[in-house]
Amino acid sequence: MALVVQKFGGTSVGDTDRIQRVAERVIRARQAGNDVVVVVSAMAGETNRLVKLAYALHEQPIGREYDVLLASGEQVAVALLALAIQKRGVAARSFLGHQLEIITDATHGRARIESINAPILRAALEAGEVAVVAGFQGIDPKGNITTLGRGGSDTTAVAMAAAINADVCEIYTDVDGIYTSDPNVVSSAQKIARISYEEMLELASLGAKVLQTRSVEFAMKYQVPVHVRSSFDDSEGSWVVPEEAGMEKVIVRAVTADKNEARISVLGVSDKPGMAAQVFGKLAEAEIIVDMIIQNASKKAQRTDLTFTVPKENAVQAQRLMEEMAGELGAAEVRADTRIAKISAVGVGMRSHSGVAATMFETLSASGINIQMISTSEIKISVIIDDAYAELAVRKLHTVFGLDAP
Ligand code: ADP
Ligand code: ASP
Ligand code: MG
């Protein structure tokens, strides 16, 4: 007998037929003698539909009401799944974020979970019920509904697993595991049997949306084994686990693309102490997360160009903030480009092998792809390129790093 958390994504509960299949799978796990907590996302397409509605009425909708709206998708899904389970003679109870006291901070649209009232969940399990928990939502300390950012049901699931000390957190999705690149883009991608938390954390934050980044942070912090697998069959998926001996032998584990960033350039700013502090202080005040930064010396004396990337959804706001500051900074011009992609190669083996960057740059250059920005860490290299070349770049790098299926 084990304690398992099973999370089903939007496609897995996309219509009533699929919800019935999920109910049957949950019941199988229950009848095998396990205690089961199920976490569900909104039905496929629903969150996108709600986001669109919000933007149709307000150009910057993210705030309290946005979260009230977005959280509704998961409310529908938990009720439907609980009904489908009950119809099959098994006790089930749905829980919304506030009913489990999933407390988050107050950052609407991308709140972070701070605590969960695990005893409420345990009581349901002890009463013999399947707990069906709404993913993606919580409440802030004042009781306002919050959401955890796109893909946030993964984080709800891992946080539940950590809170009740589950034996495993199973993530059921529309692919049968974690691949060396998005299998919907790179047909030669291969399934990875076991991947370290650290590598998965990089992959997730660099665009592999199969797991939300925060969920991997939680899994790593609380050492929750995560099993990513198909909701359509019983095949073994991919395990996310602590780093194991031998994992470093693979130099590049996977290649990702992320099209969710925009590049902002502030041209001809006065090159004097405090300039960067002023710029990034302003962005921090507006709670805009800055990823890559480069500053290059411009030809004219005492003038420099500052370029950085921000999430696409913040591009307009970041550009506006820079334009407002242009006078103070002595900047000549502010430019924004949303047609960029960040392409990355990730692998713990990079710690002990050199030459990955050189191979990456040569490969892109041979395909005529210009590199606009570069950043590296111990286990990853990322470049910014024109987004029209994203798929080509990913395929070329996947091949050159030996990741193609035989
Ligand atoms: P869910 O709705 O179940 O949460 P998501 O759409 O959020 O599913 O995540 C699954 C998708 O992640 C897959 O359909 C796939 O296109 C994408 N993906 C991106 N990179 C990878 C990768 N390296 N391995 C597997 N899937 C990936
Ligand atoms: N429904 C939310 C989204 O689409 C959360 C999730 O699916 O994980 O982002
Ligand atoms: Mg997802």
Side-chain angles (χ1 to χ4, degrees), residues 252-274:
V252 173
R253 171 80 58 196
V255 178
T256 61
D258 183 355
K259 294 188 184 175
N260 290 314
E261 286 186 13
R263 195 191 51 190
I264 310 285
S265 296
V266 193
L267 306 179
V269 294
S270 340
D271 195 4
K272 56 174 195 232

Side-chain angles (χ1 to χ4, degrees), residues 7 9-10 41 150-154 173 209-212:
K7 178 258 171 178
S41 295
R150 298 309 303 270
S153 299
D154 298 330
T173 184
K209 72 164 181 166
V210 62
L211 287 175
Q212 197 198 32

Side-chain angles (χ1 to χ4, degrees), residues 11 55 61 91 113-114 120 125 164 184 216 227 239 282 309 317 338 393:
T11 328
Y55 277 92
I113 296 180
E114 285 170 354
I120 299 178
L125 297 176
I164 59 172
N184 289 317
V216 189
H227 186 190
W239 286 86
K282 197 77 178 175
T309 62
Q317 195 191 357
T338 52

Side-chain angles (χ1 to χ4, degrees), residues 82-253:
L83 282 173
I85 295 172
Q86 289 166 2
K87 163 76 184 160
R88 286 163 174 76
V90 174
R93 179 190 296 265
S94 66
F95 290 96
L96 298 181
H98 72 89
Q99 292 171 320
L100 278 182
E101 296 173 15
I102 301 178
I103 309 295
T104 70
D105 63 17
T107 322
H108 288 292
R110 53 178 161 91
R112 295 165 78 90
I113 296 180
E114 285 170 354
S115 64
I116 292 171
N117 191 332
I120 299 178
L121 200 56
R122 286 217 189 84
L125 297 176
E126 274 157 26
E129 294 169 331
V130 171
V132 185
V133 178
F136 181 56
Q137 55 176 262
I139 48 168
D140 73 7
K142 290 187 178 150
N144 297 301
I145 295 176
T146 52
T147 63
L148 311 181
R150 298 309 303 270
S153 299
D154 298 330
T155 301
T156 306
V158 178
M160 289 293 146
I164 59 172
N165 210 356
D167 296 289
V168 60
C169 181
E170 298 183 324
I171 306 286
Y172 289 89
T173 184
D174 59 358
V175 287
D176 64 357
I178 299 158
Y179 279 72
T180 50
S181 201
D182 185 341
N184 289 317
V185 175
V186 181
S187 55
S188 57
Q190 305 188 64
K191 186 153 73 177
I192 301 168
R194 298 174 79 77
I195 184 168
S196 66
Y197 290 126
E198 215 185 331
E199 283 174 322
M200 190 61 228
L201 191 59
E202 290 285 1
L203 287 190
S205 72
L206 296 170
K209 72 164 181 166
V210 62
L211 287 175
Q212 197 198 32
T213 308
R214 284 284 294 150
S215 74
V216 189
E217 281 173 19
F218 260 104
M220 184 150 110
K221 183 163 174 200
Y222 298 100
Q223 301 280 296
V224 179
V226 175
H227 186 190
V228 176
R229 52 192 307 194
S230 168
S231 66
F232 307 122
D233 62 45
D234 286 331
S235 59
E236 180 80 3
S238 303
W239 286 86
V240 191
V241 292
E243 190 172 330
E244 296 166 349
M247 278 181 175
E248 277 204 352
K249 283 197 198 115
V250 179
I251 303 171
V252 173
R253 171 80 58 196

